[in-house]
Amino acid sequence: MTALPPMHDSAEAMAQRSLRRRRNQTVVRYTLGVACPLVLLAIWQLLDVTGVIDPRFFPPPTRVFADGIGILGNPEQRGELMADTLITLRRLGIGYVLGASAGVVMGLAMALYAPMRYAFSPVVYGTFPMPKIAIFPLLIALFGIGEGSKTALVIMGVFYMTCINTLSGVMYANPIHRDVIKAFRIPRVTGWLHVVLPSAMPAIVTGLKLGLDQALILVVSAEFVSADDGIGHYIWDSWQVLAIPRMFVGLAVVTAIGGVAVLLGSLAERRLVPWAGH
């Protein structure tokens, strides 16, 4: 009779296959992630070379890259770009922290306390679809043309994203979790903190990630409309004087900030919700 292979050899082989599969998936993911932008840039360059698009308004990537190197190599221009970027990051950070904190607290309060949910749900869901930039003039009237109105705009956008996702995450958590709390007679506060809230964390973290993206959109939009500094102003000022490559450099900075935001959001998600399998 043929002897069966030892179980530990089979388990080791399975582990090696699983490791190879994960490595292959990682290689494919990063290859596609790098290749797709490069292909798009190549298409852009080709459209410029063939004259399909107007190079006055859509300069080829090689020219944008060269102008970017020139700006970074010029101390005065580099200082202007860095100063505007830091101003935008400051506005983004302050507005995001305040808006996310208020949104999570409000979402939890509405989920855990029914009267608050009944009172504020119509207001939150009714005003959520309103474009936030549309009420920016009212915020300027309330808080002035300075930092207050821009920060308030960012806070508002982040608040809705985090509040609604937190509320939905807690309300639609698996009902079995509440059954466990009742079955084991776990105190209400302890049960919510250690059972229901962790089950809602994926939705809460998603709200935090979406809020960060929304914050970047709103802060740049506000700088377009009412600012004499910040990366949004840098882009708009470049367009007004038809410094198109300079404008694209500003857009590249915004893209880089957005990319870092996505990366930080993914790292936070893996840290806060490791059981979600990301």
Side-chain angles (χ1 to χ4, degrees):
M1 181 179 295
T2 305
L4 295 174
M7 289 297 293
H8 66 84
D9 289 341
S10 177
E12 182 180 353
M14 291 176 61
Q16 290 177 349
R17 286 196 297 270
S18 177
L19 180 60
R20 284 196 298 269
R21 185 167 57 251
R22 288 198 300 270
R23 286 176 176 172
N24 291 337
Q25 290 174 346
T26 300
V27 170
V28 170
R29 183 170 67 249
Y30 283 107
T31 300
L32 291 175
V34 172
C36 184
L38 291 178
V39 169
L40 293 176
L41 289 174
I43 294 173
W44 179 6
Q45 181 77 25
L46 180 63
L47 293 175
D48 263 298
V49 171
T50 56
V52 175
I53 57 178
D54 191 339
R56 293 175 301 173
F57 300 105
F58 295 95
T62 50
R63 182 182 168 194
V64 173
F65 181 77
D67 279 44
I69 295 297
I71 289 173
L72 294 177
N74 185 300
E76 183 178 350
Q77 294 183 2
R78 181 177 67 244
E80 180 187 5
L81 179 61
M82 291 181 64
D84 284 331
T85 303
L86 291 175
I87 288 169
T88 296
L89 290 175
R90 186 192 67 207
R91 291 169 177 156
L92 177 69
I94 294 173
Y96 178 76
V97 170
L98 294 177
S101 301
V104 171
V105 170
M106 187 66 174
L108 289 174
M110 291 171 64
L112 302 180
Y113 190 52
M116 284 198 67
R117 184 164 65 253
Y118 301 149
F120 289 101
S121 287
V123 177
V124 171
Y125 284 103
T127 57
F128 170 63
M130 182 191 307
K132 307 305 175 289
I133 196 67
I135 62 170
F136 189 45
L138 294 178
L139 296 178
I140 292 176
L142 286 172
F143 300 105
I145 202 169
E147 296 298 310
S149 57
K150 301 176 187 63
T151 303
L153 182 68
V154 175
I155 290 173
M156 184 177 299
V158 176
F159 170 82
Y160 280 99
M161 289 293 182
T162 53
C163 178
I164 291 174
N165 275 273
T166 300
L167 173 61
S168 299
V170 176
M171 292 299 298
Y172 297 109
N174 195 327
I176 197 173
H177 296 144
R178 295 182 177 84
D179 294 338
V180 169
I181 294 173
K182 292 179 181 178
F184 288 92
R185 297 180 180 179
I186 300 173
R188 181 179 174 83
V189 175
T190 303
W192 281 104
L193 288 177
H194 296 283
V195 180
V196 176
L197 187 58
S199 71
M201 278 302 294
I204 295 173
V205 173
T206 297
L208 293 171
K209 291 168 64 178
L210 292 174
L212 187 54
D213 296 335
Q214 184 79 352
L216 179 58
I217 293 170
L218 289 174
V219 73
V220 173
S221 300
E223 290 171 351
F224 273 13
V225 177
S226 171
D228 55 5
D229 50 23
I231 197 66
H233 169 76
Y234 184 93
I235 294 169
W236 185 249
D237 182 65
S238 300
W239 166 253
Q240 287 185 314
V241 298
L242 293 181
I244 305 300
R246 181 175 180 265
M247 181 191 75
F248 275 98
V249 170
L251 291 172
V253 171
V254 173
T255 302
I257 294 173
V260 171
V262 170
L263 177 61
L264 292 177
S266 298
L267 292 175
E269 191 170 21
R270 293 195 186 109
R271 181 81 173 181
L272 295 174
V273 204
W275 59 87
H278 297 288

